[in-house]
Amino acid sequence: MAKTDKTGNPIVETIKTIVYALLIAGVFRTLFFQPFWIPSGSMKPTLLIGDFLFVNKMAYGYSYASCPSVIVPSVGINLDAKKMCGVFDGDNTRLFGSEPERGDVVVFRHPTSGHDYIKRLIGLPGDRIQVTDGIVQINGEAAGQVADGEFEELMELQGPQGLRPRCANGAVGQGGMCIKDRAIETLPNGVSHPVLNIGPQASDRTGVYTVPEGEYFFMGDNRDNSADSRLAQTAGGVGFVPFENIIGRADRIVFSSGGRSMLYFWTWRSDRFFKAIK
């Protein structure tokens, strides 16, 4: 007697395979690494528009913010982490939590909008932070800056949003060279990183911010083009960020594209592939 073929319905098997793959991908993204595209220029020159990286979620432990969220207002999708993992929200603690270090480049969830942001950690709980003439003061100690030449980029539309860079050398036409002053900033714990300056503006001179317990103060490396903790959430900024809103640490760039789409292979930045983030 011929052996009976017990192979299931191919459509059902395909659906099961897709479901299993999505479950595995969801667990991987929730517990280990989350992909992140750099959408704006607030972290130049450390991170450029079009850089693609994986966020290390194991670095600081887990909270409700570790759950993935998908927010696409244009098509009405709003699967926020709070809706899926809100049961873990509110106590400002983390499972297997460890404290981030000053100078880390961190991805976190905006306290009010729920969108993911990436900035550099400047202020720890209890710190007093102030900016005077563009220099960050941490507990009365200046984070010194040493001039490091200029940062140059073409004046052109950048990334899928078609953003134009701001320049220190005034109005620059399409295709012209946009220049910003570059410096190396050293934080009190010895971490050094590049920062950019466009020119004098209000955010170069602030009052004193006292970081509450359990919260953190973040700034972008592109200091004159960053909505960060210097602005309150009600004014379009970030304000202080609770410990539980931190998603993870950005360690390494995996891929980078300078064009409007990652499919434009002629715009790929091969010198940034697998580049460490410092």
Side-chain angles (χ1 to χ4, degrees), residues 204-226:
D204 292 334
R205 299 171 301 281
T206 73
V208 177
Y209 306 92
T210 300
V211 185
E213 288 301 317
E215 301 191 14
Y216 295 86
F217 189 97
F218 291 91
M219 294 178 68
D221 289 349
N222 191 1
R223 290 291 163 78
D224 293 340
N225 193 36
S226 174

Side-chain angles (χ1 to χ4, degrees), residues 24-34 57-58 61-63 65-68 85 247:
I24 292 171
V27 170
F28 182 85
R29 179 173 175 176
T30 299
L31 296 180
F32 303 111
F33 298 97
Q34 175 176 315
K57 288 191 168 184
M58 298 176 286
Y62 306 96
S63 70
S66 302
C67 288
C85 300
I247 295 173

Side-chain angles (χ1 to χ4, degrees), residues 65-81:
S66 302
C67 288
S69 64
V70 182
I71 303 176
V72 187
S74 59
V75 294
I77 297 177
N78 185 13
L79 300 176
D80 184 75

